[in-house]
């Protein structure tokens, strides 16, 4: 496993037919069709590789059932395991589209609307499927061969692949889907060209076809060559290879939030003075930045330094950044209190800031000295996805739609312990008197962000209520409690 301790993200995607419609697994009767105009829950498929033959794949629907095609070409999606009719081969085309060939019967799968079949002997346009990734588009990129992460190197004007841990905003890459191909966008809004240069505009040289090999990703450019890390710093550019080998393969990993913590004394929590944590610094550097890794089940959190060590509870309530593995002593409960948090260590005591700035887990209750403010630093470009889709500007009004298959990129700002969210027009989000979130504010309005689950956050308006996607798709500022309607992948 790489230094970041992450497993690669599951490869989930939508499949788009020649009519621009998505392959859909209906909730009733395990029926499949290609009728949907956009990528939602029913259109998401997960790729699984056969344990014996890595060329063979299985396509699992959102219901946990597998796509199958029998000897007569009849298509179903009812199998709950890897039966022989569920075995497919991906035959990738030069334009990036896939033909799906039944491995036992050697026929191709295709069609439109309710008329899907796996009986074609040859590949025509009807049997070709474009691949649209269903992952959250912001992630870290790990080179399989180098075991290093990609990041923006502003001095050299390139993406370098030489980071042990994906640290800071520079390691955040956005996969932008355009006409069946993908662009790689850096945190400063530039696109990676196949010659390794970073361009302000996307074009032919910045568009890549995604290919999947043994559960890994390869990026094929417009000339049929593949991105790979080159030279001592691992400059990311297209090489000479027209077939992807180990050097051309990548994993996408979820990007954990990285935060700066400010104590009641107004100083930043730091490890600059050694392994013991103390709030005694006035500058924000890597020594004052920590990665929050939230456990899925318990929702407890570890804090990791840029050197890769975890905060750990030691004798007499001390906290040191020394642990190399996660244990009970590295887990902290986070209590969100408006724009502040309180941290409770594994001894059941709250972390407090002493007069000399030292952090100790010795308090039984929360007072001024136990409060910390948390600023997330690695999401200046914010893309939010809820249970019904992405948040996007409404086409004809100043409201926001929370059920779209495409996304807008918003700008996240931070000042005086609160966040402000700016839209693509340069105007700000605010909650109006009808508790609807609007996007045309001339002055910034404060929101607080709570990192409550692994990969999902909640946003509170200044009225104390959560931003919620309502069933009609409208983004509202009236959520009363933490539930799926107020949680957003980021």
């Amino acid at each position: 496993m790489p230094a970041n301790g992450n497993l690669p993200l599951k490869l989930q995607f939508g499949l788009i037919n020649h009519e621009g419609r998505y392959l859909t697994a209906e909730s009733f009767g395990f029926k499949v069709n290609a009728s949907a105009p956009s990528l939602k829950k029913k259109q998401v498929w997960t790729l699984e590789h056969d344990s014996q033959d890595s060329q063979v794949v299985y396509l699992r629907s959102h219901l946990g059932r597998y796509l199958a095609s029998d000897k007569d070409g009849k298509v179903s999606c009812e199998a709950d395991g890897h039966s022989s009719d569920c075995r497919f081969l991906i035959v990738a085309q030069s334009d990036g589209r896939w033909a799906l060939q039944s491995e036992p019967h050697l026929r191709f799968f295709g069609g439109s609307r309710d008329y899907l079949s796996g009986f074609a002997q040859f590949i025509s346009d009807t049997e070709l499927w474009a691949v649209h990734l269903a992952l959250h588009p912001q992630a870290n990129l790990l080179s399989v061969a180098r075991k290093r992460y990609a990041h923006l190197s502003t001095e050299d004007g390139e993406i370098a692949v030489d980071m042990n841990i994906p640290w800071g905003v520079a390691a955040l890459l956005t996969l932008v889907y355009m006409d069946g191909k993908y662009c790689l966008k850096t945190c400063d809004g530039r696109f990676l060209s196949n010659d390794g240069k970073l361009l302000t505009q996307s074009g032919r040289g910045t568009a890549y076809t995604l290919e999947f090999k043994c559960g890994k990703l390869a990026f094929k450019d417009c000339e049929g060559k593949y991105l790979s890390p080159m030279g001592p710093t691992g400059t990311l550019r297209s090489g000479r290879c027209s077939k992807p080998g180990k050097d051309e393969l990548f994993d996408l990993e979820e990007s954990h939030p990285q935060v700066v913590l400010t104590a009641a004394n107004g100083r930043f929590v730091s490890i600059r003075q050694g392994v013991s944590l103390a709030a005694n610094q006035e500058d924000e550097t890597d020594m004052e930045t920590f990665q929050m890794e939230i456990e899925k089940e318990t929702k407890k959190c570890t804090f990791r330094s840029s050197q890769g060590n975890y905060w750990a509870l030691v004798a007499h309530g001390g906290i040191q950044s020394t642990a190399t593995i996660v244990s009970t002593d590295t887990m902290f409960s986070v209590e969100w209190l408006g724009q502040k948090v309180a941290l409770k260590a594994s001894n059941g005591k709250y972390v407090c800031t002493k007069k000399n700035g030292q952090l100790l887990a010795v308090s039984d209750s929360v007072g001024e000295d136990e409060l910390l403010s948390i600023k997330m630093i690695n999401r200046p470009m914010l893309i939010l996805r809820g249970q019904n889709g992405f948040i996007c500007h409404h086409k004809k009004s100043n409201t926001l739609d929370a059920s779209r298959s495409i996304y807008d990129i918003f700008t996240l700002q931070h000042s005086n312990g609160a966040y402000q969210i700016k839209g693509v027009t340069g105007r700000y989000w605010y909650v109006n008197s009808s508790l609807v979130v609007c996007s045309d504010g001339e002055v910034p309005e404060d929101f607080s962000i709570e990192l409550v689950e692994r990969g999902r956050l909640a946003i509170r308006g200044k009225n104390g209520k959560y931003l919620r996607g309502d069933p009609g798709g409208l983004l509202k500022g009236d959520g009363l409690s933490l539930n799926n309607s107020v949680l957003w992948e980021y």
Side-chain angles (χ1 to χ4, degrees):
M1 208 181 283
N4 204 33
N6 273 352
L7 289 168
L9 290 166
K10 273 186 187 158
L11 292 176
Q12 294 184 312
F13 47 80
L15 289 170
I16 309 167
N17 75 354
H18 63 295
E19 295 175 337
R21 299 285 166 160
Y22 286 82
L23 183 64
T24 302
E26 295 295 354
S27 301
F28 304 104
F30 302 111
K31 288 190 165 62
V32 278
N33 60 56
S35 303
S38 63
L39 179 60
K40 299 279 183 72
K41 184 179 167 185
K42 291 180 188 176
Q43 290 75 40
V44 173
W45 298 85
T46 304
L47 193 70
E48 294 180 4
H49 285 265
D50 188 69
S51 53
Q52 259 72 52
D53 183 351
S54 63
Q55 298 300 308
V56 172
V57 298
Y58 304 91
L59 292 167
R60 183 162 57 85
S61 76
H62 68 106
L63 299 167
R65 303 297 178 113
Y66 293 89
L67 188 70
S69 179
D70 69 13
K71 66 181 191 319
D72 301 317
K74 184 168 179 261
V75 172
S76 63
C77 194
E78 203 164 342
D80 55 8
H82 290 179
S83 69
S84 65
D85 282 349
C86 302
R87 295 166 66 87
F88 287 93
L89 302 170
I90 295 171
V91 183
Q93 308 297 298
S94 58
D95 65 358
R97 289 189 293 174
W98 290 358
L100 292 169
Q101 186 178 29
S102 165
E103 193 244 7
H105 311 302
L106 300 177
R107 299 296 179 105
F108 293 96
F109 166 67
S112 60
R113 296 192 164 76
D114 292 325
Y115 306 103
L116 298 178
S117 145
F119 206 60
Q121 287 181 280
F122 305 102
I123 300 169
S124 71
D125 213 35
T126 313
E127 285 73 46
L128 290 176
W129 302 86
V131 183
H132 185 178
L133 277 187
L135 311 170
H136 189 280
Q138 290 176 308
N140 298 136
L141 190 67
L142 174 76
S143 162
V144 171
R146 296 205 179 199
K147 294 185 170 59
R148 295 288 182 274
Y149 290 91
H151 67 100
L152 169 66
S153 173
T154 38
E155 311 82 63
D156 304 315
E158 64 180 27
I159 293 178
V161 185
D162 61 355
M163 249 186 186
N164 285 328
I165 296 177
W167 206 257
V169 67
L172 187 70
L173 294 172
T174 303
L175 283 165
V176 182
Y177 182 70
M178 289 183 184
D179 302 323
K181 292 189 165 61
Y182 282 85
C183 301
L184 282 171
K185 196 175 191 180
T186 56
C187 61
D188 64 357
R190 290 186 288 172
F191 297 93
L192 177 69
S193 178
N194 57 355
D195 60 3
K197 292 192 174 78
L198 295 173
L199 307 178
T200 52
Q201 298 290 321
S202 61
R204 184 171 178 266
T206 66
Y208 302 93
T209 299
L210 287 190
E211 288 191 7
F212 299 83
K213 188 176 176 187
C214 307
K216 310 295 180 192
L217 279 180
F219 296 86
K220 185 164 78 170
D221 74 6
C222 55
E223 311 290 343
K225 306 295 189 209
Y226 292 83
L227 287 182
S228 69
M230 306 277 207
T233 61
T235 303
L236 196 57
R237 55 190 292 266
S238 289
R240 296 189 190 93
C241 290
S242 49
K243 251 192 175 167
K246 195 175 179 185
D247 285 339
E248 289 74 38
L249 295 180
F250 297 88
D251 271 329
L252 284 176
E253 290 186 2
E254 78 178 289
S255 169
H256 292 288
Q258 290 168 355
V259 299
V260 173
L261 298 103
T262 308
N265 62 7
R267 302 292 177 94
F268 298 122
V269 175
S270 178
I271 50 166
R272 209 182 300 193
Q273 63 289 329
V275 294
S276 290
L277 287 162
N280 58 8
Q281 297 297 325
E282 294 183 357
D283 304 318
E284 288 178 35
T285 71
D286 281 352
M287 297 286 190
E288 290 74 46
T289 306
F290 301 96
Q291 181 161 286
M292 285 179 74
E293 298 177 13
I294 301 168
E295 197 182 66
K296 269 200 166 83
E297 280 71 41
T298 65
K299 312 281 197 296
K300 287 184 177 175
C301 181
T302 58
F303 291 87
R304 202 174 192 201
S305 75
S306 56
Q307 280 91 44
N309 293 329
Y310 295 96
W311 293 11
L313 180 69
V314 295
H316 312 299
I319 300 169
Q320 295 185 344
S321 181
T322 51
T324 54
I325 57 168
V326 173
S327 68
T328 308
D329 288 336
T330 65
M331 304 300 286
F332 293 82
S333 298
V334 184
E335 295 180 11
W336 296 91
L337 306 163
Q339 291 172 2
K340 306 274 177 153
V341 298
L343 302 179
K344 190 187 272 187
S346 59
N347 62 359
K349 304 284 186 181
Y350 288 99
V351 175
C352 78
T353 308
K354 293 299 183 188
K355 293 279 182 283
N356 64 357
Q358 192 179 5
L359 263 58
L360 295 173
V362 293
S363 298
D364 292 318
S365 58
V366 177
E368 192 64 30
D369 292 336
E370 287 72 35
L371 292 176
L372 297 156
S373 64
I374 284 186
K375 175 173 78 166
M376 180 167 58
I377 59 106
N378 63 335
R379 287 297 186 285
M381 291 163 31
L382 194 63
I383 296 170
L384 296 170
R385 181 166 72 174
Q387 61 178 359
N388 298 315
F390 289 102
I391 295 182
C392 212
H393 285 278
H394 201 282
K395 284 178 183 151
K396 293 178 182 164
S397 75
N398 64 346
T399 61
L400 291 157
D401 196 336
S403 62
R404 299 289 295 280
S405 60
I406 53 168
Y407 56 82
D408 280 334
I409 299 175
F410 299 97
T411 303
L412 188 66
Q413 300 175 344
H414 188 276
S415 63
N416 303 323
Y419 295 91
Q420 301 82 36
I421 304 170
K422 191 160 69 169
V424 289
T425 57
R427 300 284 181 105
Y428 291 91
W429 287 20
Y430 63 95
V431 180
N432 72 10
S433 56
S434 308
L435 301 182
V436 172
V437 182
C438 301
S439 61
D440 61 346
E442 293 192 8
V443 292
E445 182 163 296
D446 286 351
F447 293 89
S448 57
I449 285 179
E450 301 177 5
L451 306 169
V452 288
E453 282 191 7
R454 186 176 184 127
R456 298 206 292 176
L457 55 73
I459 304 172
R460 264 189 212 260
K462 62 181 187 182
N463 61 4
K465 294 185 170 68
Y466 291 108
L467 301 197
R468 175 183 74 90
D470 82 353
L474 196 63
L475 186 65
K476 302 187 80 170
D478 63 357
L480 299 175
S481 61
L482 283 173
N483 58 51
N484 279 335
S485 69
V486 306
L487 292 174
W488 307 93
E489 287 178 54
Y490 61 99

